[in-house]
Structure formats: structure tokens, C-alpha cells
Amino acid sequence: MTASDPVTARPGSNTPGVSDAVAIEIRGLNKWFGQFHVLRDIDLTVCRGERIVICGPSGSGKSTLIRCINALEEHQKGRIVVDGIALTSELKNIDKVRSEVGMVFQHFNLFPHLTILENCTLAPIWVRKIPRREAEETAMHFLTKVKIPEQAGKYPGQLSGGQQQRVAIARALCMRPKIMLFDEPTSALDPEMIKEVLDTMIELAEEGMTMLVVTHEMGFARKVANRVIFMDQGRIVEQNEPEAFFSKPQSERTKLFLSQILRGH
Amino acid sequence: MFVLTFAAGWIAWRLVSTAAGSLAGALAALAALAALAAAPARRALVVLPLTRILAAALPLGLPAIASNRFGGFMPAVIIGVSGIALSPPLGILRGPGRQSALVVINITSVACVEIIRGVPLILWLFTASPLSNLFLPPGTKADPILRVVIMVTLFASAYLAGVIRGGPAALPKGECEAAAALGRDGWKSMRPVILPQAPKAAIPGIVSTFIGLFKDTTLVMVIGLLDPVGLANSIRANAARTGIYRERFILIGLPFLLFCRFMSRYSQDLEKKLATDRRQEGPHP
């Protein structure tokens, strides 16, 4: 256990691009699925501009943790404050938080009946009430950024997995979120498509986006993350800067996990 | 004549099913049902104009036939087409009613669906006459065909309620989550995300309900209306035609087969037209 590690106390404070302003604060978070205790006493502070990679074996609660941050999962105990807004059962707050937080899913979850452009303009038009023209310009801007402006008129089913995931990133960015959550964004992709998605995410990180990424892409973690968090059985077992995390893992559980996941790398 | 009637029904069905998405469609159908229940209004609003139009289109000088003298495929087609046209709006109203947070609406619609669906249609047809005496103003002589149309419509709409409810439920959970994450959760995701995709998922179920409804019209025999099967019985009873039975059944079965084939064919086309995922166009190279 390294919960009292100095790195945790002031996360990423000496890393360039990371401010002291708190983006997400989680205190004593507990969640149950029926009898199953998925998240146990999670404490986590994320600063603005921080890039955090969360890893851990399946069922360790890492996806559930980031899904709690935009209230896709309800938590039963503890406190989550996102950009100064406390996540309570109050719907207004949930809506506010969701408009600040973008999310990218493992299975893209694009709307198959809408074109790529319409996928990107749906939320700005319906939620932000932005005029269609303006929303389309924004959408094209972000589609250009993820390098698929030429696919704007196509439907998700006509795109490759990697392209679809880049659309999903653009769709989230169109809401101009302050924080981006990635839930295993490359796990459903063929190996040759993983790179194009990771490249997009690296670019986003370089621009200073606050990012929480659940992934097993350790190369991405080394390159981009300020902090790597290892979770097991609903707890944060260990967290550290990537270099220290990979070279000097503290707990036996982390060592075992890293030896399994890094085999062949 | 068959073809003409059926074509007219088909057009009506298309009109109704395109309008069906709106509450207005449902209300209009209800209003029409209510108006039709009163015989003089029915005569003024529907029968006379329709007869005039038909007479103008096909100047054959055919005599007017009262509905209690309908026989053969005529009641089958009239009941089938009316039931098909009138049941979707009711079914659509009941789907959300079942999920309503208002306990009264919720319990009423669940009870309606369960009671109507849980009792055989044949029983409803038998009880149609005493029931219509209960609900219609005293002195109204409910037309037997109309009674059957109302019963068949209620019956089919109970089935449709379940089928239509299944449409949105068939959508992948991930899409609803994506909509929620973008700030449109629950009912707010209906309009842009769920509704455009629901019809395709519901159509196969809707059409099989319609096919079932159309074939069930032969049950009107039990309340004394002469459906094709009932009509054929008089041929059997005729001593001059003893031994002729294969022809009767083929002649009755074939039109039903053709109608149902047409309906399922049309539903396949509709499904193709409503396909929203565009996967069949193949992936981008």
C-alpha cells in the first residue's frame, strides 16, 4: 500500500502543464452492485491538466470508477466533486457534470442511424442548443483534428473500428468538455488500428486536456500519463509516476499484474 | 374487387402507420372509432361519401348491401383492414402507458393489456354484444361488423403494445449510455436516438400480429357472420355438391395465403427501407 506516498499527496504537482486547480475530487467512494462491493473507500484527487492511466485486472472496478465520475453509475457512499459540482442524486447537477465531462467507450457506441457529422452535432444541438451551422463547423473542426473529415457524410457502419473510435473522440470533444474519460478505448480494436486511436489521444494530452484513461496500453501510460493507478478488488492498490510505477512497483499484487501484462512487450 | 379493396386498405395502412408515431394519429383514430359507433354519424360521415366515391369510380350500379348481409371474404377483409389500421395507434398509446410513473395510468394499461390478451379472441367476440350494450348509449344498435372491428382492434392492440414496447428495448444499451454521457439521458434520448431506430426492430413483430389478426377474422363465424369458412359450410350442406371439399378449402386458403404473403413481403421491404445501421453497404475500404 502506498496510499500515503508523497506523490499522491500532491499529485503531479511538479509536472509541467498540470495546475494546482482540482478537476475531480473523490473522497471515501463506495459502490455496491447488489451484494458485490465493487468500489471500496476510493480517494482520488485529479488536478486540471493531469493525465491519469488506470489499470488493473478485470473486475477490479476501474471502469466502474470512471463511470461514477459522470454518473453513468450511481455511488452509494462517499463524495464526488467534478469541477466544483458535487455529484448528488440531483438531476441538475448530473446534467451539469455530464456537459463538462466527455466519455469514450470501449465499443464506440456511435449512433448507427446518423451520419458521422450528425453523430458529432447531436449533443451540441440538442443539449447546448447551438445553431446547426455552428455545430457543424465545430464538428468538422474536430473531425479534421482526428483526421477523418472526409468521412463526415458516411454512417458509422461504413467505417473501420479505429475510425469509429476517432469519431467517438471527436463527438465527445464537440461538447467542449474540460475532462475526458476513456473506458478501454482500444480494447475492441484490431492491433493495427490501436495506434491511430492512441495517436489521437496523445495529441489531446499534449494540448493539456485532463484525461482519465482505463487502459492496458502500457506504452501509452509511459508516454503520456502523469500518474498510473493500479486497482484490484475495488481498491486503489498503488499509484505513482509512470517511470517509478513500472520500474519499482511497491506491492506484490502490482508486480504480479505488471509481469503478466508486460510479458511479450 | 378484392385487389381494389386490399389496395385501398394498404394505402390506409401506410397512411396510418406513417402517422402512427404521433399522438395526433392515435387521437384521430380514437375519435374516428367514437364517431363510427353512432350509426347516423357513420352513415353521414363514412358510408354515403364512400358509396358515392365508389359509385363514381366504378359505375356498375351495384345495389347497396347492409353490413349484416356481408359474407365471404368481404367481412374478413373489412375487419382485417380496419383492425390493422386502427390497432397501432392504440398499441402505441399503451406501450408508454405501461412504463408511466403515474400508478393509475400504469395499472390501467397493464390491466387492459393483460385482460384483453389473456382471454381468447373467440370469447371476446361472444361477449362483444353484451359489452357493447354496456358501453354504447342505450338504443344504439351496434352493427355486428363494427362490434367485431372494435373487439379485434382492442385485441390486436394489446398484442401490439407488447411488440411496440420491445422496439426501443431492442436498442443496444451502449447507445443509451452514450446519449446519457452527452447529456441526453432517459426520455430525452427518445427523440434523437431511440425513436428513429425503434420501428425497424418492432416491424417483424407488428406484421406477424397483423397476419394473425387477419386470419383470426375467420372466427366471426361463431357470432353468426358468414366468413369464407362459414359460407363454405352451406356448400357442404348442399346435396347437389356432395363430395366436393378439396376445392372449397383451396379456394378459401389461397386468398388468405396470398394476402399474408403480401403482408410479409411488404414488411421485408419496409424493414430494408427503415434499415438504419447501413451496414449492408459494406465497410469503407
Side-chain angles (χ1 to χ4, degrees), chain B residues 141-195:
Chain B
K141 250 179 70 192
D143 182 318
I145 294 265
L146 181 70
R147 274 199 317 247
V148 174
V149 166
I150 291 175
M151 279 313 184
V152 165
T153 302
L154 288 176
F155 194 74
S157 70
Y159 275 89
L160 279 181
V163 171
I164 288 170
R165 203 163 49 98
L171 228 66
K173 198 169 144 258
E175 282 177 47
C176 302
E177 281 185 353
L182 287 165
R184 280 194 87 77
D185 58 338
W187 63 270
K188 282 189 279 179
S189 64
M190 268 290 174
R191 175 61 193 83
V193 178
I194 296 173
L195 278 186

Side-chain angles (χ1 to χ4, degrees), chain A residues 119-134:
Chain A
N119 263 279
C120 293
T121 56
L122 182 137
I125 291 174
W126 287 85
V127 180
R128 288 243 196 271
K129 316 281 178 206
I130 289 172
R132 176 172 296 275
R133 281 289 298 274
E134 200 186 320

Side-chain angles (χ1 to χ4, degrees), chain A residues 198-260:
Chain A
L198 289 181
D199 284 348
T200 310
M201 289 165 63
I202 290 169
E203 212 173 290
L204 201 60
E206 282 164 356
E207 286 169 17
M209 177 66 81
T210 312
M211 292 164 73
L212 270 87
V213 186
V214 172
T215 186
H216 290 155
E217 292 294 330
M218 291 304 144
F220 173 80
R222 265 179 214 277
K223 203 165 180 178
V224 174
N226 311 100
R227 210 180 346 158
V228 181
I229 291 177
F230 174 68
M231 286 183 71
D232 189 32
Q233 295 182 352
R235 288 181 205 281
I236 294 182
V237 175
E238 184 166 347
Q239 50 180 323
N240 216 331
E241 284 170 347
E243 270 318 307
F245 180 83
F246 290 114
S247 55
K248 296 192 289 284
Q250 305 289 316
S251 80
E252 285 308 311
R253 188 67 191 87
T254 317
K255 282 176 198 165
L256 178 69
F257 177 74
L258 284 177
S259 73
Q260 282 165 346

Side-chain angles (χ1 to χ4, degrees), chain B residues 103-124:
Chain B
V103 181
V104 183
I105 298 181
N106 189 340
I107 290 181
T108 325
S109 35
V110 171
C112 275
V113 168
E114 295 304 330
I115 292 172
I116 294 174
R117 199 167 57 175
V119 174
L121 175 61
I122 201 161
L123 212 69
W124 285 120

Side-chain angles (χ1 to χ4, degrees), chain A:
Chain A
M1 282 286 192
T2 56
S4 58
D5 195 300
V7 179
T8 347
R10 286 184 62 79
S13 54
N14 48 5
T15 320
V18 177
S19 79
D20 277 346
V22 174
I24 303 170
E25 186 166 20
I26 299 174
R27 286 287 164 266
L29 175 67
N30 275 276
K31 174 167 178 62
W32 287 263
F33 282 128
Q35 292 294 307
F36 181 53
H37 200 167
V38 247
L39 294 177
R40 299 163 190 257
D41 305 317
I42 302 278
D43 288 313
L44 178 67
T45 307
V46 181
C47 289
R48 206 160 280 165
E50 234 191 321
R51 280 92 60 190
I52 293 180
V53 163
I54 306 172
C55 59
S58 65
S60 60
K62 49 197 193 311
S63 287
T64 313
L65 172 61
I66 68 165
R67 286 163 62 90
C68 280
I69 293 172
N70 67 350
L72 280 187
E73 300 286 356
E74 212 180 340
H75 61 280
Q76 279 85 36
K77 219 175 118 193
R79 201 174 137 73
I80 303 177
V81 181
V82 183
D83 201 48
I85 308 157
L87 261 186
T88 53
S89 52
E90 203 156 318
L91 290 175
K92 232 182 172 171
N93 285 5
I94 292 180
D95 282 349
K96 253 192 244 165
V97 165
R98 281 178 178 164
S99 64
E100 305 292 342
V101 179
M103 185 154 196
V104 174
F105 298 86
Q106 179 178 5
H107 296 288
F108 332 134
N109 297 351
L110 296 175
F111 307 122
H113 62 299
L114 300 175
T115 63
I116 300 308
L117 187 68
E118 286 164 345
N119 263 279
C120 293
T121 56
L122 182 137
I125 291 174
W126 287 85
V127 180
R128 288 243 196 271
K129 316 281 178 206
I130 289 172
R132 176 172 296 275
R133 281 289 298 274
E134 200 186 320
E136 281 176 356
E137 275 165 27
T138 313
M140 284 315 291
H141 167 75
F142 284 112
L143 285 173
T144 311
K145 220 172 105 127
V146 301
K147 302 190 182 67
I148 31 174
E150 72 282 359
Q151 312 284 7
K154 291 198 175 150
Y155 287 89
Q158 295 167 280
L159 266 55
S160 73
Q163 289 172 322
Q164 289 191 50
Q165 193 61 299
R166 283 185 283 151
V167 172
I169 295 173
R171 177 177 69 176
L173 290 176
C174 283
M175 287 291 279
R176 306 212 178 259
K178 294 183 182 152
I179 299 160
M180 285 283 284
L181 309 173
F182 293 83
D183 188 3
E184 308 211 24
T186 55
S187 306
L189 295 176
D190 290 338
E192 67 264 31
M193 292 169 187
I194 291 178
K195 192 180 172 294
E196 63 187 59
V197 171
L198 289 181
D199 284 348
T200 310
M201 289 165 63
I202 290 169
E203 212 173 290
L204 201 60
E206 282 164 356
E207 286 169 17
M209 177 66 81
T210 312
M211 292 164 73
L212 270 87
V213 186
V214 172
T215 186
H216 290 155
E217 292 294 330
M218 291 304 144
F220 173 80
R222 265 179 214 277
K223 203 165 180 178
V224 174
N226 311 100
R227 210 180 346 158
V228 181
I229 291 177
F230 174 68
M231 286 183 71
D232 189 32
Q233 295 182 352
R235 288 181 205 281
I236 294 182
V237 175
E238 184 166 347
Q239 50 180 323
N240 216 331
E241 284 170 347
E243 270 318 307
F245 180 83
F246 290 114
S247 55
K248 296 192 289 284
Q250 305 289 316
S251 80
E252 285 308 311
R253 188 67 191 87
T254 317
K255 282 176 198 165
L256 178 69
F257 177 74
L258 284 177
S259 73
Q260 282 165 346
I261 205 152
L262 295 177
R263 191 181 297 151
H265 275 248

